[in-house]
Amino acid sequence: MVHLYNLHPFGSQQVVPCKLEPERFCGGGPDALFVAAGCKVEAFAVSGQELCQPRCAFSTLGRVLRLAYSEAGDYLVAIEEKNKATFLRAYVNWRSKRTENSRVCIRMVGHNVEAPFRETFRDQMSIVEMPLSEAPLCISCCPVRGDLLVGCTNKLVLFSLKYQIVNEEFSILDFELSLIIHICNIIPVEISFCVGYVAVMSDLEILILKLESNPQNGDSGNHHPRKTNRPMKPAEGISNEHLQLESDDFVICQKPMELLGKKSEQSGISVTLESTGLDEKIKYFHVQHLLYRRFAPDISSYVLSDDIKLHSLQLLPVYQTGSLTSERKNSSQEKGLLSLFCFFSLPHVGYLYMIVKSVELMSVYQYPERSQQAVLTPQFLHVITSNYLQCFTVRCSAAAAREEDPDMDSTVKACPPVSMDVCVLRIQLFIGLKAICHFKNHVILLTKADPEAIPERRESPKRLLSRKATSDKLKTPPVAEAGWNLYIVNTISPVQLYREMVDYSNTYKTAKTQSCIHLLSEAHLLVRAALMDASQLEPAERAELLDTFKESCGHLGDCYSRLDTQHSHLALPYYKMSGLSMAEVLARVDWAAEDGSQKYERGLIFYINHSLYENLDEELSEELAARVVQMFQVAEPKQLPHVLCSPSMKNINPLTAMSYLRKLDTSGFSSVLVTLTKAAMALKMGDLDMYRHEMKSYSEMKLVCGFILEPRLLIQQKKGRNVPTGLALHLKKTQPGLLVASVLGLQKNNKIGIEEADSFFKVLCGKDEDRIPQLLVDFWEAQLVACLPDVLLQELFFKLTSQYIWRLSKRQPPDTIPLRTSEDLINACNHYGLIYPWVNTLISLDSLADKNYAEDLSKLQSLICGPSFDIASIVPFLEPLSEDTVAGLSVQVLCQTRLKEYEQCIDILLERCPEAIIPYANHELKEENRTLWWKKLLPELCQRIKCGGEKYQLYLSLLKETLSVVAVELELRDFLNVLPEDGTAAFFLPYLLYCSRKKSLT
């Protein structure tokens, strides 16, 4: 469906002061307009709202049949006819043509100009002759590179734009014949070319190709024609004679067809590339088929009339622009191609396709009457009929925005859909319209009021529909006569048209219809298209466009927030793109109804809910916060606890909030979340009795579940940092176990990250980054007990052991009472192992250790004794623990034992704590390590007894215990071998007797 509005996209108009009736005209660049009549071309300067001024005039070598201008290279190219022969010529350096009689240089394409004559080209126009083996039918200039594509009967010829450099300040423009595209089964009537994309149009067929530079299968493509498709062959059993008979006596009508992508290779059109250029950078080796479409003629009249011919083929590029808010001054040559659009039209319907990354039909334009010609721009499609200029909207900016920005169509950014119905902004009366062209914001129109004066119609060299009795002959061009005008119609600025569209949309606001959204979406796309093509804008103009863009986003946000539509969620991204704060959005809401009967649409609720969840730094005033609570109490009562926990609602009156929360209870909506929210509000009011009453309503486990449902009861974000709430601060003092369990629940349910939780506890306890509060240590211990799957165990072990070691080395007590003792951790967590019995013997010697010191030491020892601890990773960090202390000694021996360094441990214990050696040996020297009793421990004890000293008696008792064990383990002969040779026989005799008798006893 096409929407029709009566807007005013066209502003001022003026008449071009042509001396002769125009036959061909074109424009481009910043200010160039060319008008051809017969063998003469007039150039005009068109600048803004100023009057069109003649710039120069020059004669062509023949009557101009086709005319095109290229901004890249600033040249004019024409197909000319003289003596029934057609020629192709390019007019370069035309701006130097001061008078009609000024000197002109004529040269052949590719001809190297001799040095003495080069400087003369600086101040004179040159005509470049481009000889062709076949007559040229149509031409097209690449808007990006300036290359020239020429359509002939059986081929397309590509001339690449190049420059002959004379010096640093001057170069001569030239062309190089770089590629010939041989095409069979289609004769071009119009062509369009843009950075390797080729569109070919016959009377009823469209073919779009892409020329690719990368060679395939090693084929260089140089002078080796490559066929990409085979022409369709006649069916078997049908001779050429029968086919000729059919074409003479019957109407031949092929069925309509649309082939996209690779399927378009089945069109029956053969394409062959023949590379002729010398420049390796611009060689094309392969051709890719993108689209083939064939239309069926209307055979009701049994003749092929002009009504069933395609016209107005055009490729429209859209360039990579980057962020809408970035500064850009690049020209089109410096931009990357973002997307490409192809337009063509039948007399009563036009088609707009998007190509490049995909080939897709975007829009179909239905005209109210037969069209004659159309031009596509990034903002509009201008169509002329015999008496009307019609201005349609297009979806190019919507498609390009999605190609450029992957965040489009999310909660962050939005854009009106490509599938949105197009509309006609204006149908402007112009009598006798004959032709149209467009550049910048100028629409050039040729009118001829005489209804009997029929302009020359191009004749297709090939007919798809024929009948023996009918034949079309070339119409003789009418003699030039009065009644014609060439107009320049300026389109108004995008901002001005946007304002009118917004004013127009106000008529739909009270009705709350989709028409309001549609028109505002059109206005938004208009501004977006202007921003995407804003490379030539002044900074002030661009700033105005950006402000207008944000304003349009705000209007669309208003529409989607107030109207009941299935796309009401779009209020969120449009409001975000508008830059409006939440308070500014709420100020735009109509709060007229005070009796509670106000209906709030889904879009507004969705936006407010999302904004409150995103932890914005914006704080609403008390009045607006009360409005928000009222809104959710009416529309989404279940969300009310979540709303009250948002940092943006900090200024809400707690009495007001409590009154609404009590209403939830009376309506049957009661949960632990409501209870916790009421407790937070009671704490805010300073009513501790009410707070305690609410907190006693549920068990600790239920309360933890409530905090998981709404983490912002404990933690809120402000300026990118996690900040504890007043409730969290109160729980730290009164119920630290509940606080730790709740944060652990948040982490387990992915509501908070590991680093965020650590930072939270540091901020909560008022510690800097280098100091670790006991509550954080309690949290780490709770993580180990909970065995969370996402927690890195070794990293957590490192945190805990580092803290234990630091406290032990500094004899620093914890700042609060630990929540768990070492015994609790051993009983609750597999990662905390049972402390080895011999360690207790070591610890018993330290009578000066206080309770906290002993607890930290026990936890560290328990971790080392656990099965999951990586001992090697912690050894380098044991240095702060002095070996002179019992704590350092026990940890050192434990680590070496876990590393299976038993001999070193025996030496250390014999030297530092002999009392622990037997318990140590009984626990550690087992199985494969049992031999150390007689290989290491026995010799060491004997050696120390020989040396005497203060510990002689202790060593002697240890030797006796050791001999008792060895006597049991070894046979008599082996036992004799391990005894010292210089020992007293009477001392060892009891052990020898026991060893000799044990066999008989068993």
Side-chain angles (χ1 to χ4, degrees):
M1 181 178 69
V2 178
H3 296 253
L4 176 61
Y5 301 107
N6 189 24
L7 298 169
H8 300 83
F10 307 115
S12 62
Q13 70 180 49
Q14 56 177 300
V15 177
V16 181
C18 303
K19 297 179 180 179
L20 298 174
E21 179 182 351
E23 295 179 3
R24 300 287 182 268
F25 58 91
C26 67
D31 61 352
L33 172 62
F34 300 92
V35 181
C39 295
K40 186 176 181 179
V41 174
E42 295 178 88
F44 298 89
V46 183
S47 179
Q49 302 297 324
E50 300 177 6
L51 291 177
C52 176
Q53 298 295 329
R55 173 175 273 153
C56 66
F58 52 88
S59 298
T60 62
L61 302 181
R63 175 172 165 263
V64 177
L65 301 180
R66 295 290 178 100
L67 194 65
Y69 169 77
S70 173
E71 182 178 0
D74 191 27
Y75 68 88
L76 184 71
V77 62
I79 297 177
E80 304 171 11
E81 180 186 39
K82 187 174 183 180
N83 299 327
K84 297 184 179 180
T86 53
F87 305 91
L88 179 67
R89 297 183 176 98
Y91 297 82
V92 302
N93 203 23
W94 57 271
R95 295 180 188 271
S96 300
K97 182 77 171 174
R98 305 300 181 188
T99 64
E100 190 170 352
N101 296 324
S102 300
R103 291 185 60 183
V104 175
C105 169
I106 302 178
R107 55 190 170 91
M108 294 294 292
V109 65
H111 177 68
N112 287 326
V113 181
E114 297 180 2
F117 301 99
R118 288 181 176 179
E119 286 294 332
T120 62
F121 286 177
R122 184 192 299 271
D123 300 320
Q124 68 181 21
M125 185 178 77
S126 297
I127 302 177
V128 182
E129 293 275 0
M130 301 181 186
L132 297 168
S133 60
E134 295 184 13
L137 303 176
C138 45
I139 50 178
S140 177
C141 301
C142 174
V144 179
R145 300 175 182 168
D147 298 339
L148 172 64
L149 186 67
V150 184
C152 304
T153 304
N154 294 308
K155 61 186 177 183
L156 306 177
V157 182
L158 177 62
F159 291 92
S160 298
L161 182 67
K162 58 183 291 188
Y163 293 90
Q164 297 182 25
I165 299 177
V166 177
N167 53 49
E168 293 181 358
E169 300 178 355
F170 179 63
S171 58
I172 300 173
L173 185 145
D174 199 5
F175 297 88
E176 178 188 5
L177 177 59
S178 59
L179 183 68
I180 298 176
I181 308 172
H182 298 277
I183 298 184
C184 298
N185 298 331
I186 185 172
I187 298 180
V189 171
E190 291 183 23
I191 58 173
S192 188
F193 181 61
C194 182
V195 285
Y197 290 85
V198 178
V200 183
M201 185 182 79
S202 67
D203 284 329
L204 290 173
E205 293 176 288
I206 289 289
L207 177 67
I208 301 178
L209 308 170
K210 180 184 179 182
L211 303 177
E212 297 180 337
S213 300
N214 56 318
Q216 294 195 353
N217 301 325
D219 184 9
S220 66
N222 189 22
H223 298 290
H224 296 283
R226 175 187 173 98
K227 287 194 176 183
T228 63
N229 192 45
R230 295 182 179 179
M232 288 189 293
K233 298 180 180 180
E236 294 184 7
I238 302 179
S239 65
N240 291 335
E241 182 179 355
H242 287 97
L243 289 174
Q244 183 64 39
L245 180 63
E246 281 192 8
S247 63
D248 289 342
D249 295 343
F250 299 96
V251 175
I252 305 300
C253 179
Q254 293 180 311
K255 65 179 181 179
M257 180 186 297
E258 181 185 44
L259 301 174
L260 302 177
K262 282 194 172 184
K263 291 185 178 180
S264 59
E265 296 181 4
Q266 304 170 10
S267 62
I269 297 176
S270 173
V271 180
T272 306
L273 301 185
E274 180 184 350
S275 180
T276 59
L278 300 177
D279 192 346
E280 294 292 336
K281 295 181 180 179
I282 54 176
K283 282 193 175 183
Y284 294 105
F285 299 99
H286 181 67
V287 62
Q288 179 183 355
H289 292 245
L290 301 179
L291 170 68
Y292 172 78
R293 183 156 186 180
R294 181 173 63 218
F295 296 89
D298 181 7
I299 60 173
S300 59
S301 60
Y302 295 98
V303 292
L304 180 65
S305 67
D306 286 347
D307 287 348
I308 55 172
K309 290 183 179 180
L310 292 165
H311 64 75
S312 303
L313 175 66
Q314 184 179 347
L315 289 177
L316 178 71
V318 174
Y319 306 105
Q320 192 84 28
T321 58
S323 170
L324 289 178
T325 58
S326 63
E327 292 293 332
R328 301 189 305 275
K329 287 288 184 182
N330 295 341
S331 64
S332 61
Q333 287 89 337
E334 296 172 322
K335 298 176 185 177
L337 183 68
L338 174 64
S339 193
L340 191 65
F341 303 91
C342 180
F343 175 81
F344 51 87
S345 182
L346 286 169
H348 289 90
V349 60
Y351 300 90
L352 180 59
Y353 279 83
M354 177 177 65
I355 53 180
V356 176
K357 292 185 179 179
S358 62
V359 182
E360 180 182 349
L361 178 61
M362 283 176 48
S363 304
V364 177
Y365 295 88
Q366 300 287 343
Y367 312 136
E369 57 180 285
R370 189 178 74 85
S371 65
Q372 298 192 42
Q373 198 177 347
V375 289
L376 178 68
T377 75
Q379 291 100 342
F380 306 110
L381 172 68
H382 300 293
V383 181
I384 59 170
T385 64
S386 58
N387 293 313
Y388 291 98
L389 169 62
Q390 303 173 10
C391 180
F392 290 83
T393 57
V394 295
R395 303 287 169 261
C396 297
S397 60
R402 287 171 170 83
E403 292 285 345
E404 186 172 32
D405 196 338
D407 290 334
M408 200 60 66
D409 299 322
S410 66
T411 58
V412 180
K413 296 179 182 178
C415 182
V418 175
S419 59
M420 186 174 69
D421 293 337
V422 296
C423 73
V424 182
L425 297 181
R426 181 78 177 177
I427 299 180
Q428 183 73 40
L429 178 64
F430 268 94
I431 303 298
L433 284 169
K434 302 302 177 185
I436 183 175
C437 80
H438 173 275
F439 70 98
K440 289 189 70 176
N441 65 322
H442 310 297
V443 178
I444 317 301
L445 299 171
L446 175 63
T447 66
K448 192 168 184 179
D450 184 6
E452 296 180 0
I454 303 175
E456 178 186 0
R457 167 70 181 184
R458 57 170 171 74
E459 182 64 21
S460 170
K462 179 181 178 181
R463 294 290 189 177
L464 294 181
L465 186 63
S466 63
R467 188 168 175 83
K468 191 174 183 180
T470 63
S471 62
D472 291 340
K473 299 180 179 179
L474 286 174
K475 299 176 182 178
T476 305
V479 180
E481 54 187 89
W484 58 266
N485 273 310
L486 188 65
Y487 293 98
I488 299 177
V489 179
N490 297 316
T491 55
I492 65 175
S493 71
V495 174
Q496 185 179 347
L497 182 56
Y498 163 82
R499 302 283 180 216
E500 185 183 3
M501 297 171 83
V502 171
D503 292 341
Y504 198 107
S505 69
N506 289 332
T507 59
Y508 299 105
K509 275 190 176 180
T510 54
K512 290 189 176 182
T513 64
Q514 293 291 334
S515 296
C516 179
I517 293 179
H518 185 275
L519 189 53
L520 288 175
S521 297
E522 294 286 7
H524 176 85
L525 288 178
L526 173 70
V527 178
R528 185 183 282 275
L531 275 171
M532 297 187 79
D533 193 33
S535 57
Q536 305 299 327
L537 290 179
E538 295 297 326
E541 295 176 305
R542 178 170 174 77
E544 184 184 19
L545 270 177
L546 281 172
D547 291 340
T548 305
F549 176 80
K550 293 179 180 179
E551 181 186 315
S552 73
C553 293
H555 286 311
L556 282 172
D558 291 342
C559 277
Y560 284 110
S561 67
R562 297 170 187 171
L563 304 184
D564 186 14
T565 74
Q566 60 178 339
H567 303 296
S568 56
H569 62 278
L570 293 176
L572 175 63
Y574 279 119
Y575 274 141
K576 281 187 177 180
M577 292 191 298
S578 72
L580 293 172
S581 66
M582 191 162 33
E584 290 170 330
V585 171
L586 289 171
R588 299 158 80 109
V589 177
D590 182 12
W591 304 100
E594 299 287 349
D595 57 354
S597 61
Q598 175 85 29
K599 180 184 179 184
Y600 303 101
E601 297 297 345
R602 291 176 297 168
L604 180 61
I605 297 297
F606 184 78
Y607 163 75
I608 297 296
N609 202 10
H610 252 272
S611 299
L612 293 175
Y613 261 104
E614 288 178 349
N615 298 316
L616 301 177
D617 293 330
E618 178 185 4
E619 293 181 0
L620 297 178
S621 66
E622 181 180 344
E623 180 184 0
L624 284 179
R627 293 284 192 185
V628 170
V629 172
Q630 174 195 350
M631 180 192 308
F632 278 89
Q633 196 273 334
V634 173
E636 291 282 349
K638 290 184 179 181
Q639 293 296 322
L640 195 54
H642 299 284
V643 169
L644 290 170
C645 294
S646 171
S648 301
M649 300 290 287
K650 178 182 177 181
N651 297 322
I652 185 69
N653 188 323
L655 290 173
T656 304
M658 192 65 80
S659 66
Y660 282 107
L661 289 171
R662 285 177 179 143
K663 290 180 182 178
L664 290 180
D665 284 345
T666 56
S667 62
F669 182 82
S670 179
S671 69
V672 63
L673 179 56
V674 177
T675 298
L676 286 173
T677 309
K678 289 163 71 175
M681 291 300 158
L683 200 61
K684 194 173 181 181
M685 291 187 294
D687 192 339
L688 294 181
D689 291 335
M690 182 184 297
Y691 166 80
R692 284 189 284 267
H693 172 74
E694 296 295 340
M695 294 299 287
K696 290 179 180 178
S697 301
Y698 289 94
S699 65
E700 185 171 297
M701 186 58 67
K702 283 284 188 180
L703 293 176
V704 169
C705 294
F707 286 122
I708 293 173
L709 289 174
E710 184 44 82
R712 292 177 298 179
L713 283 164
L714 297 176
I715 308 169
Q716 294 183 349
Q717 273 198 352
K718 290 186 179 179
K719 296 181 180 179
R721 294 188 60 193
N722 284 331
V723 178
T725 63
L727 179 57
L729 290 168
H730 190 75
L731 288 176
K732 172 192 169 242
K733 299 175 183 177
T734 58
Q735 293 177 276
L738 172 60
L739 179 61
V740 169
S742 300
V743 178
L744 186 65
L746 295 180
Q747 184 183 341
K748 191 173 183 179
N749 288 273
N750 299 319
K751 297 294 182 70
I752 189 173
I754 297 175
E755 294 182 2
E756 292 175 318
D758 290 359
S759 175
F760 165 75
F761 280 109
K762 289 179 181 180
V763 175
L764 178 71
C765 299
K767 302 294 183 182
D768 56 29
E769 289 298 323
D770 298 328
R771 300 294 296 272
I772 305 297
Q774 174 58 38
L775 207 57
L776 179 54
V777 177
D778 292 329
F779 176 68
W780 290 340
E781 292 172 348
Q783 284 181 298
L784 274 185
V785 172
C787 299
L788 297 183
D790 296 334
V791 175
L792 298 176
L793 274 181
Q794 297 306 321
E795 182 179 342
L796 198 53
F797 286 149
F798 175 75
K799 290 178 181 179
L800 285 168
T801 53
S802 298
Q803 185 61 19
Y804 295 148
I805 291 171
W806 182 82
R807 285 185 186 172
L808 291 170
S809 63
K810 302 292 184 181
R811 285 194 173 266
Q812 180 75 32
D815 54 349
T816 58
I817 299 175
L819 297 179
R820 294 174 187 263
T821 65
S822 57
E823 186 177 354
D824 295 333
L825 292 172
I826 293 171
N827 293 331
C829 179
N830 292 331
H831 301 299
Y832 283 90
L834 285 171
I835 301 174
Y836 301 154
W838 56 267
V839 176
N840 295 325
T841 307
L842 280 175
I843 301 303
S844 63
L845 301 179
D846 189 1
S847 59
L848 300 178
D850 59 19
K851 181 180 178 182
N852 290 324
Y853 183 88
E855 275 298 318
D856 284 338
L857 181 57
S858 295
K859 290 178 181 179
L860 178 59
Q861 292 168 342
S862 178
L863 270 182
I864 297 174
C865 294
S868 309
F869 196 77
D870 182 8
I871 302 300
S873 65
I874 199 62
V875 169
F877 300 97
L878 296 177
E879 186 176 347
L881 278 180
S882 173
E883 296 180 7
D884 297 334
T885 64
V886 172
L889 177 63
S890 64
V891 172
Q892 181 188 15
V893 175
L894 266 176
C895 289
Q896 288 183 324
T897 300
R898 289 293 309 277
L899 294 173
K900 300 184 183 304
E901 298 174 355
Y902 301 108
E903 294 189 20
Q904 293 89 326
C905 292
I906 292 173
D907 291 336
I908 293 173
L909 289 176
L910 286 175
E911 182 67 28
R912 298 285 306 282
C913 186
E915 296 88 349
I917 192 62
I918 297 302
Y920 177 84
N922 284 329
H923 188 267
E924 303 295 342
L925 304 184
K926 299 176 182 179
E927 298 176 354
E928 69 271 12
N929 301 315
R930 187 171 293 276
T931 58
L932 292 176
W933 279 93
W934 53 87
K935 289 185 178 181
K936 176 65 179 177
L937 182 56
L938 180 61
E940 285 290 335
L941 288 171
C942 292
Q943 183 64 31
R944 292 174 188 272
I945 290 173
K946 287 180 183 180
C947 297
E950 298 178 358
K951 299 181 180 180
Y952 175 81
Q953 290 298 329
L954 177 59
Y955 288 142
L956 189 60
S957 64
L958 295 176
L959 178 60
K960 292 178 180 180
E961 292 187 55
T962 303
L963 288 172
S964 299
V965 174
V966 175
V968 173
E969 296 293 329
L970 296 180
E971 298 293 333
L972 182 59
R973 180 180 295 179
D974 295 330
F975 186 50
L976 284 171
N977 290 334
V978 298
L979 292 177
E981 295 179 356
D982 55 351
T984 304
F987 178 81
F988 293 104
L989 186 59
Y991 303 101
L992 287 170
L993 291 173
Y994 176 78
C995 186
S996 63
R997 293 173 183 171
K998 69 177 180 181
K999 187 172 184 181
S1000 59
L1001 292 174
T1002 57

